[in-house]
PDB file of all heavy atoms in Angstrom:
ATOM      1  N   ASN T   1       7.836 -27.852  -1.979  1.00 93.00           N
ATOM      2  CA  ASN T   1       9.165 -27.295  -1.983  1.00 93.00           C
ATOM      3  C   ASN T   1       9.212 -25.728  -2.029  1.00 93.00           C
ATOM      4  O   ASN T   1      10.330 -25.206  -2.021  1.00 93.00           O
ATOM      5  CB  ASN T   1       9.927 -27.874  -3.234  1.00 93.00           C
ATOM      6  CG  ASN T   1      10.070 -29.343  -3.123  1.00 93.00           C
ATOM      7  OD1 ASN T   1      10.688 -29.933  -2.251  1.00 93.00           O
ATOM      8  ND2 ASN T   1       9.456 -30.078  -4.149  1.00 93.00           N
ATOM      9  N   ILE T   2       8.088 -25.149  -2.171  1.00 96.00           N
ATOM     10  CA  ILE T   2       7.992 -23.721  -2.361  1.00 96.00           C
ATOM     11  C   ILE T   2       7.309 -23.057  -1.171  1.00 96.00           C
ATOM     12  O   ILE T   2       6.255 -23.494  -0.669  1.00 96.00           O
ATOM     13  CB  ILE T   2       7.235 -23.363  -3.649  1.00 96.00           C
ATOM     14  CG1 ILE T   2       7.855 -24.001  -4.864  1.00 96.00           C
ATOM     15  CG2 ILE T   2       7.061 -21.846  -3.885  1.00 96.00           C
ATOM     16  CD1 ILE T   2       7.144 -23.829  -6.209  1.00 96.00           C
ATOM     17  N   ASN T   3       8.097 -21.996  -0.741  1.00 97.00           N
ATOM     18  CA  ASN T   3       7.454 -21.176   0.347  1.00 97.00           C
ATOM     19  C   ASN T   3       7.165 -19.701  -0.051  1.00 97.00           C
ATOM     20  O   ASN T   3       7.618 -19.332  -1.144  1.00 97.00           O
ATOM     21  CB  ASN T   3       8.419 -21.074   1.570  1.00 97.00           C
ATOM     22  CG  ASN T   3       8.629 -22.380   2.262  1.00 97.00           C
ATOM     23  OD1 ASN T   3       9.242 -23.332   1.753  1.00 97.00           O
ATOM     24  ND2 ASN T   3       8.135 -22.457   3.525  1.00 97.00           N
ATOM     25  N   VAL T   4       6.355 -19.086   0.734  1.00 97.00           N
ATOM     26  CA  VAL T   4       5.994 -17.768   0.405  1.00 97.00           C
ATOM     27  C   VAL T   4       6.729 -16.884   1.550  1.00 97.00           C
ATOM     28  O   VAL T   4       6.758 -17.245   2.725  1.00 97.00           O
ATOM     29  CB  VAL T   4       4.447 -17.479   0.493  1.00 97.00           C
ATOM     30  CG1 VAL T   4       3.881 -17.770   1.816  1.00 97.00           C
ATOM     31  CG2 VAL T   4       4.089 -16.004   0.098  1.00 97.00           C
ATOM     32  N   LEU T   5       7.271 -15.815   1.094  1.00 98.00           N
ATOM     33  CA  LEU T   5       7.916 -14.927   2.048  1.00 98.00           C
ATOM     34  C   LEU T   5       6.860 -14.107   2.797  1.00 98.00           C
ATOM     35  O   LEU T   5       6.022 -13.525   2.191  1.00 98.00           O
ATOM     36  CB  LEU T   5       8.939 -13.884   1.297  1.00 98.00           C
ATOM     37  CG  LEU T   5       9.633 -12.905   2.156  1.00 98.00           C
ATOM     38  CD1 LEU T   5      10.592 -13.587   3.117  1.00 98.00           C
ATOM     39  CD2 LEU T   5      10.366 -11.903   1.343  1.00 98.00           C
ATOM     40  N   GLU T   6       6.930 -14.291   4.152  1.00 97.00           N
ATOM     41  CA  GLU T   6       5.785 -13.679   4.914  1.00 97.00           C
ATOM     42  C   GLU T   6       5.798 -12.120   4.901  1.00 97.00           C
ATOM     43  O   GLU T   6       6.856 -11.545   4.661  1.00 97.00           O
ATOM     44  CB  GLU T   6       5.898 -14.169   6.383  1.00 97.00           C
ATOM     45  CG  GLU T   6       5.764 -15.595   6.577  1.00 97.00           C
ATOM     46  CD  GLU T   6       7.204 -16.231   6.822  1.00 97.00           C
ATOM     47  OE1 GLU T   6       8.053 -15.953   6.009  1.00 97.00           O
ATOM     48  OE2 GLU T   6       7.308 -16.987   7.761  1.00 97.00           O
ATOM     49  N   ALA T   7       4.648 -11.496   5.164  1.00 97.00           N
ATOM     50  CA  ALA T   7       4.599 -10.052   5.204  1.00 97.00           C
ATOM     51  C   ALA T   7       5.495  -9.551   6.278  1.00 97.00           C
ATOM     52  O   ALA T   7       5.662 -10.171   7.357  1.00 97.00           O
ATOM     53  CB  ALA T   7       3.125  -9.659   5.583  1.00 97.00           C
ATOM     54  N   GLY T   8       6.074  -8.373   5.991  1.00 97.00           N
ATOM     55  CA  GLY T   8       6.958  -7.684   6.994  1.00 97.00           C
ATOM     56  C   GLY T   8       8.197  -8.416   7.174  1.00 97.00           C
ATOM     57  O   GLY T   8       8.872  -8.244   8.274  1.00 97.00           O
ATOM     58  N   HIS T   9       8.686  -9.333   6.281  1.00 98.00           N
ATOM     59  CA  HIS T   9       9.936 -10.002   6.316  1.00 98.00           C
ATOM     60  C   HIS T   9      10.833  -9.723   5.221  1.00 98.00           C
ATOM     61  O   HIS T   9      10.420  -9.375   4.056  1.00 98.00           O
ATOM     62  CB  HIS T   9       9.637 -11.569   6.452  1.00 98.00           C
ATOM     63  CG  HIS T   9       9.157 -12.039   7.724  1.00 98.00           C
ATOM     64  ND1 HIS T   9       7.872 -11.779   8.233  1.00 98.00           N
ATOM     65  CD2 HIS T   9       9.669 -12.797   8.769  1.00 98.00           C
ATOM     66  CE1 HIS T   9       7.724 -12.356   9.371  1.00 98.00           C
ATOM     67  NE2 HIS T   9       8.808 -12.955   9.681  1.00 98.00           N
ATOM     68  N   TYR T  10      12.113 -10.052   5.335  1.00 98.00           N
ATOM     69  CA  TYR T  10      13.062 -10.124   4.224  1.00 98.00           C
ATOM     70  C   TYR T  10      13.996 -11.191   4.370  1.00 98.00           C
ATOM     71  O   TYR T  10      14.291 -11.619   5.493  1.00 98.00           O
ATOM     72  CB  TYR T  10      13.695  -8.772   4.054  1.00 98.00           C
ATOM     73  CG  TYR T  10      14.734  -8.332   5.088  1.00 98.00           C
ATOM     74  CD1 TYR T  10      16.029  -8.776   5.098  1.00 98.00           C
ATOM     75  CD2 TYR T  10      14.302  -7.543   6.105  1.00 98.00           C
ATOM     76  CE1 TYR T  10      16.975  -8.428   5.967  1.00 98.00           C
ATOM     77  CE2 TYR T  10      15.294  -7.147   7.114  1.00 98.00           C
ATOM     78  CZ  TYR T  10      16.545  -7.568   7.081  1.00 98.00           C
ATOM     79  OH  TYR T  10      17.499  -7.200   8.056  1.00 98.00           O
ATOM     80  N   LEU T  11      14.470 -11.815   3.259  1.00 98.00           N
ATOM     81  CA  LEU T  11      15.542 -12.785   3.281  1.00 98.00           C
ATOM     82  C   LEU T  11      16.871 -12.034   2.971  1.00 98.00           C
ATOM     83  O   LEU T  11      16.914 -11.193   2.022  1.00 98.00           O
ATOM     84  CB  LEU T  11      15.301 -13.833   2.270  1.00 98.00           C
ATOM     85  CG  LEU T  11      14.255 -14.876   2.507  1.00 98.00           C
ATOM     86  CD1 LEU T  11      14.296 -15.904   1.311  1.00 98.00           C
ATOM     87  CD2 LEU T  11      14.456 -15.646   3.786  1.00 98.00           C
ATOM     88  N   VAL T  12      17.907 -12.363   3.624  1.00 98.00           N
ATOM     89  CA  VAL T  12      19.214 -11.916   3.230  1.00 98.00           C
ATOM     90  C   VAL T  12      20.123 -13.099   2.964  1.00 98.00           C
ATOM     91  O   VAL T  12      20.216 -14.036   3.811  1.00 98.00           O
ATOM     92  CB  VAL T  12      19.890 -10.991   4.400  1.00 98.00           C
ATOM     93  CG1 VAL T  12      19.922 -11.638   5.728  1.00 98.00           C
ATOM     94  CG2 VAL T  12      21.216 -10.486   3.974  1.00 98.00           C
ATOM     95  N   VAL T  13      20.764 -13.043   1.828  1.00 97.00           N
ATOM     96  CA  VAL T  13      21.540 -14.150   1.367  1.00 97.00           C
ATOM     97  C   VAL T  13      23.049 -13.711   1.369  1.00 97.00           C
ATOM     98  O   VAL T  13      23.295 -12.778   0.653  1.00 97.00           O
ATOM     99  CB  VAL T  13      21.202 -14.682  -0.019  1.00 97.00           C
ATOM    100  CG1 VAL T  13      22.076 -15.872  -0.403  1.00 97.00           C
ATOM    101  CG2 VAL T  13      19.711 -15.059   0.009  1.00 97.00           C
ATOM    102  N   ASP T  14      23.885 -14.291   2.159  1.00 96.00           N
ATOM    103  CA  ASP T  14      25.323 -14.047   2.087  1.00 96.00           C
ATOM    104  C   ASP T  14      26.031 -14.913   1.151  1.00 96.00           C
ATOM    105  O   ASP T  14      26.114 -16.103   1.476  1.00 96.00           O
ATOM    106  CB  ASP T  14      25.892 -14.161   3.611  1.00 96.00           C
ATOM    107  CG  ASP T  14      27.304 -13.635   3.742  1.00 96.00           C
ATOM    108  OD1 ASP T  14      28.077 -13.876   2.658  1.00 96.00           O
ATOM    109  OD2 ASP T  14      27.649 -13.101   4.716  1.00 96.00           O
ATOM    110  N   LEU T  15      26.387 -14.443   0.020  1.00 94.00           N
ATOM    111  CA  LEU T  15      26.981 -15.260  -1.064  1.00 94.00           C
ATOM    112  C   LEU T  15      28.388 -15.840  -0.709  1.00 94.00           C
ATOM    113  O   LEU T  15      28.806 -16.731  -1.257  1.00 94.00           O
ATOM    114  CB  LEU T  15      27.017 -14.493  -2.313  1.00 94.00           C
ATOM    115  CG  LEU T  15      25.731 -14.592  -3.197  1.00 94.00           C
ATOM    116  CD1 LEU T  15      24.528 -13.807  -2.489  1.00 94.00           C
ATOM    117  CD2 LEU T  15      25.987 -14.074  -4.534  1.00 94.00           C
ATOM    118  N   GLN T  16      28.984 -15.124   0.248  1.00 91.00           N
ATOM    119  CA  GLN T  16      30.281 -15.582   0.601  1.00 91.00           C
ATOM    120  C   GLN T  16      30.227 -16.792   1.615  1.00 91.00           C
ATOM    121  O   GLN T  16      30.921 -17.781   1.377  1.00 91.00           O
ATOM    122  CB  GLN T  16      31.105 -14.502   1.262  1.00 91.00           C
ATOM    123  CG  GLN T  16      31.636 -13.496   0.235  1.00 91.00           C
ATOM    124  CD  GLN T  16      32.649 -12.442   0.930  1.00 91.00           C
ATOM    125  OE1 GLN T  16      32.312 -11.888   2.062  1.00 91.00           O
ATOM    126  NE2 GLN T  16      33.726 -12.079   0.227  1.00 91.00           N
ATOM    127  N   ASN T  17      29.399 -16.677   2.560  1.00 91.00           N
ATOM    128  CA  ASN T  17      29.220 -17.709   3.556  1.00 91.00           C
ATOM    129  C   ASN T  17      28.055 -18.791   3.133  1.00 91.00           C
ATOM    130  O   ASN T  17      27.920 -19.756   3.878  1.00 91.00           O
ATOM    131  CB  ASN T  17      28.876 -17.084   4.921  1.00 91.00           C
ATOM    132  CG  ASN T  17      29.918 -16.165   5.358  1.00 91.00           C
ATOM    133  OD1 ASN T  17      31.061 -16.433   5.125  1.00 91.00           O
ATOM    134  ND2 ASN T  17      29.621 -15.152   6.108  1.00 91.00           N
ATOM    135  N   LYS T  18      27.407 -18.432   2.107  1.00 90.00           N
ATOM    136  CA  LYS T  18      26.276 -19.319   1.594  1.00 90.00           C
ATOM    137  C   LYS T  18      25.174 -19.552   2.664  1.00 90.00           C
ATOM    138  O   LYS T  18      24.648 -20.599   2.829  1.00 90.00           O
ATOM    139  CB  LYS T  18      26.857 -20.686   1.197  1.00 90.00           C
ATOM    140  CG  LYS T  18      27.846 -20.538   0.088  1.00 90.00           C
ATOM    141  CD  LYS T  18      28.378 -21.916  -0.394  1.00 90.00           C
ATOM    142  CE  LYS T  18      29.353 -21.868  -1.528  1.00 90.00           C
ATOM    143  NZ  LYS T  18      30.601 -21.043  -1.145  1.00 90.00           N
ATOM    144  N   GLU T  19      25.000 -18.442   3.387  1.00 93.00           N
ATOM    145  CA  GLU T  19      23.928 -18.479   4.441  1.00 93.00           C
ATOM    146  C   GLU T  19      22.684 -17.660   4.038  1.00 93.00           C
ATOM    147  O   GLU T  19      22.780 -16.661   3.472  1.00 93.00           O
ATOM    148  CB  GLU T  19      24.470 -17.847   5.738  1.00 93.00           C
ATOM    149  CG  GLU T  19      25.585 -18.684   6.359  1.00 93.00           C
ATOM    150  CD  GLU T  19      26.115 -18.038   7.617  1.00 93.00           C
ATOM    151  OE1 GLU T  19      25.902 -16.876   7.898  1.00 93.00           O
ATOM    152  OE2 GLU T  19      26.972 -18.693   8.374  1.00 93.00           O
ATOM    153  N   ILE T  20      21.528 -18.279   4.420  1.00 95.00           N
ATOM    154  CA  ILE T  20      20.276 -17.576   4.134  1.00 95.00           C
ATOM    155  C   ILE T  20      19.604 -17.287   5.502  1.00 95.00           C
ATOM    156  O   ILE T  20      19.451 -18.200   6.335  1.00 95.00           O
ATOM    157  CB  ILE T  20      19.376 -18.383   3.295  1.00 95.00           C
ATOM    158  CG1 ILE T  20      19.959 -18.718   1.947  1.00 95.00           C
ATOM    159  CG2 ILE T  20      17.981 -17.726   3.093  1.00 95.00           C
ATOM    160  CD1 ILE T  20      19.084 -19.750   1.093  1.00 95.00           C
ATOM    161  N   LYS T  21      19.255 -16.070   5.784  1.00 97.00           N
ATOM    162  CA  LYS T  21      18.681 -15.693   7.027  1.00 97.00           C
ATOM    163  C   LYS T  21      17.370 -14.962   6.707  1.00 97.00           C
ATOM    164  O   LYS T  21      17.352 -14.025   5.911  1.00 97.00           O
ATOM    165  CB  LYS T  21      19.663 -14.794   7.839  1.00 97.00           C
ATOM    166  CG  LYS T  21      19.145 -14.362   9.206  1.00 97.00           C
ATOM    167  CD  LYS T  21      20.170 -13.568   9.946  1.00 97.00           C
ATOM    168  CE  LYS T  21      19.621 -13.161  11.321  1.00 97.00           C
ATOM    169  NZ  LYS T  21      20.612 -12.266  11.962  1.00 97.00           N
ATOM    170  N   LYS T  22      16.386 -15.270   7.409  1.00 97.00           N
ATOM    171  CA  LYS T  22      15.103 -14.579   7.346  1.00 97.00           C
ATOM    172  C   LYS T  22      14.956 -13.606   8.515  1.00 97.00           C
ATOM    173  O   LYS T  22      15.045 -13.986   9.673  1.00 97.00           O
ATOM    174  CB  LYS T  22      13.838 -15.536   7.239  1.00 97.00           C
ATOM    175  CG  LYS T  22      12.527 -14.868   7.113  1.00 97.00           C
ATOM    176  CD  LYS T  22      11.442 -15.996   6.533  1.00 97.00           C
ATOM    177  CE  LYS T  22      11.191 -16.982   7.549  1.00 97.00           C
ATOM    178  NZ  LYS T  22      10.058 -17.871   7.136  1.00 97.00           N
ATOM    179  N   CYS T  23      14.547 -12.367   8.272  1.00 97.00           N
ATOM    180  CA  CYS T  23      14.401 -11.313   9.356  1.00 97.00           C
ATOM    181  C   CYS T  23      13.033 -10.719   9.251  1.00 97.00           C
ATOM    182  O   CYS T  23      12.432 -10.458   8.223  1.00 97.00           O
ATOM    183  CB  CYS T  23      15.419 -10.303   9.061  1.00 97.00           C
ATOM    184  SG  CYS T  23      17.104 -10.885   9.039  1.00 97.00           S
ATOM    185  N   LYS T  24      12.439 -10.478  10.427  1.00 97.00           N
ATOM    186  CA  LYS T  24      11.202  -9.858  10.608  1.00 97.00           C
ATOM    187  C   LYS T  24      11.456  -8.324  10.920  1.00 97.00           C
ATOM    188  O   LYS T  24      12.061  -8.054  11.890  1.00 97.00           O
ATOM    189  CB  LYS T  24      10.383 -10.528  11.651  1.00 97.00           C
ATOM    190  CG  LYS T  24       9.018  -9.955  11.777  1.00 97.00           C
ATOM    191  CD  LYS T  24       8.240 -10.831  12.851  1.00 97.00           C
ATOM    192  CE  LYS T  24       6.738 -10.444  12.923  1.00 97.00           C
ATOM    193  NZ  LYS T  24       5.998 -11.309  13.919  1.00 97.00           N
TER     194      LYS T  24
END
């Protein structure tokens, strides 16, 4: 159930839309 955030990436969480997006 646990992932590691990859190098050179970030997660952005939109708390209003409840969306999680991973960006390189």
Side-chain angles (χ1 to χ4, degrees):
N1 300 296
I2 299 178
N3 288 72
V4 62
L5 182 60
E6 299 102 311
H9 285 71
Y10 68 86
L11 286 185
V12 55
V13 183
D14 189 321
L15 272 68
Q16 286 186 317
N17 299 328
K18 302 179 179 61
E19 295 178 347
I20 301 177
K21 184 180 179 182
K22 183 163 60 175
C23 302
K24 186 175 185 178

